[in-house]
Amino acid sequence: MKKLKLYHGSENVIKLPQFHFGNPKNDYGYGFYCTENIELAKEWGCTEEKDGFANEYQLVLDGLSILNLSQGEFNILNWLAILLENRTFELTSDISIAAKQYLLQNFLIPYHKYDIIRGYRADDSYFAFANAFLNNTISVQKLNQAMYLGKLGEQVVLKSKKAFSQISFVTSTPADRNIYYPKKMLRDSTARSTFSKIRSESDLQNPNAFFVIDIIRGGIKNGDPRIPAILFK
């Protein structure tokens, strides 16, 4: 029997995760969002005003289908297309509106059929990266680089009733907001400063750089080797 240890950061102790509960506007829609890193869970569980908990679980993986967006067969635009279907983006330019439609038509993969999704976590700083790409101000290569260097963490999301039936609560560990909220803010500010540095290094003259307008005009589709695979460590 193969098991996976997971942590969920929250202001509360959650002994029984509930299927199809929570915010449908999360990265991958309804789901139970976890991490394999207890320190990240403690950061995610704290706010400026409240302490939190890292809730620990055991997930039995037997018989579960897993979509791992960090594998080389997927690219950064597969991840972005899923976000575009679930999260709320403020698309104010013609190019960003056209980009959303094009990515959903050509890069959205059938993620709904999986029990588990593993992939990037998109917080506010990552949204800045994604918005810059949709507005044609950074290339897809820079988007991929920014996501990789930001190191905000990978998440494991339970999506199906079957997955929820195979997770069990183990314990909860308190997280002091005075320790973990500053860590969360430092992680975010580091990602933003990294992005600013990457963005300042123009690749307008790089013939191998693809902006979203190039992808649309060139009719580039999912699987094209010119679109970089997701890099995650």
Side-chain angles (χ1 to χ4, degrees):
M1 182 182 296
K2 188 174 181 181
K3 295 183 179 180
L4 184 65
K5 182 185 292 186
L6 294 174
Y7 301 93
H8 174 79
S10 174
E11 295 179 12
N12 305 303
V13 175
I14 302 175
K15 294 186 176 182
L16 186 63
Q18 297 183 38
F19 174 70
H20 215 256
F21 180 79
N23 183 3
K25 295 295 185 181
N26 280 328
D27 297 354
Y28 309 121
Y30 281 116
F32 190 58
Y33 289 72
C34 301
T35 172
E36 294 180 86
N37 187 321
I38 188 173
E39 293 297 299
L40 274 178
K42 288 180 178 180
E43 291 179 24
W44 298 352
C46 290
T47 66
E48 189 173 9
E49 296 82 18
K50 292 184 178 181
D51 295 338
F53 296 92
N55 295 290
E56 180 184 337
Y57 306 89
Q58 287 285 351
L59 175 65
V60 177
L61 295 175
D62 297 359
L64 297 182
S65 58
I66 301 174
L67 171 62
N68 188 347
L69 292 169
S70 301
Q71 289 181 333
E73 65 188 284
F74 301 108
N75 60 63
I76 193 70
L77 299 186
N78 298 138
W79 170 84
L80 183 53
I82 296 174
L83 244 65
L84 284 167
E85 186 168 77
N86 292 296
R87 298 289 294 264
T88 301
F89 284 77
E90 292 186 9
L91 305 176
T92 57
S93 66
D94 289 344
I95 184 62
S96 63
I97 293 169
K100 176 180 179 178
Q101 182 179 3
Y102 190 87
L103 293 178
L104 288 174
Q105 288 177 348
N106 295 285
F107 288 91
L108 186 64
I109 55 181
Y111 67 98
H112 293 289
K113 69 179 184 180
Y114 290 89
D115 299 306
I116 303 289
I117 298 177
R118 179 190 291 269
Y120 283 126
R121 170 178 173 263
D123 71 350
D124 290 345
S125 57
Y126 276 21
F127 255 71
F129 308 165
N131 271 313
F133 171 72
L134 291 170
N135 282 285
N136 207 48
T137 60
I138 64 169
S139 67
V140 67
Q141 287 82 3
K142 281 194 180 295
L143 173 66
N144 198 52
Q145 185 183 6
M147 298 296 294
Y148 171 61
L149 293 176
K151 299 185 184 300
L152 289 184
E154 187 184 40
Q155 56 191 357
V156 178
V157 185
L158 280 66
K159 291 289 295 179
S160 69
K161 284 185 178 181
K162 185 176 182 181
F164 276 78
S165 72
Q166 295 183 198
I167 192 170
S168 56
F169 177 78
V170 177
T171 189
S172 62
T173 303
D176 186 337
R177 69 184 185 278
N178 295 310
I179 296 174
Y180 287 98
Y181 183 75
K183 286 186 176 183
K184 179 166 63 175
M185 291 299 98
L186 177 61
R187 191 181 298 274
D188 180 82
S189 64
T190 299
R192 290 180 187 275
S193 63
T194 299
F195 176 60
S196 295
K197 182 177 184 299
I198 291 171
R199 190 171 185 173
S200 68
E201 300 166 352
S202 174
D203 56 8
L204 288 174
Q205 305 302 319
N206 180 358
N208 298 315
F210 280 86
F211 290 77
V212 73
I213 192 66
D214 301 316
I215 293 169
I216 295 171
R217 288 176 174 171
I220 295 175
K221 305 293 178 70
N222 194 34
D224 192 299
R226 291 172 292 181
I227 303 300
I230 286 180
L231 299 174
F232 192 93
K233 291 183 180 180

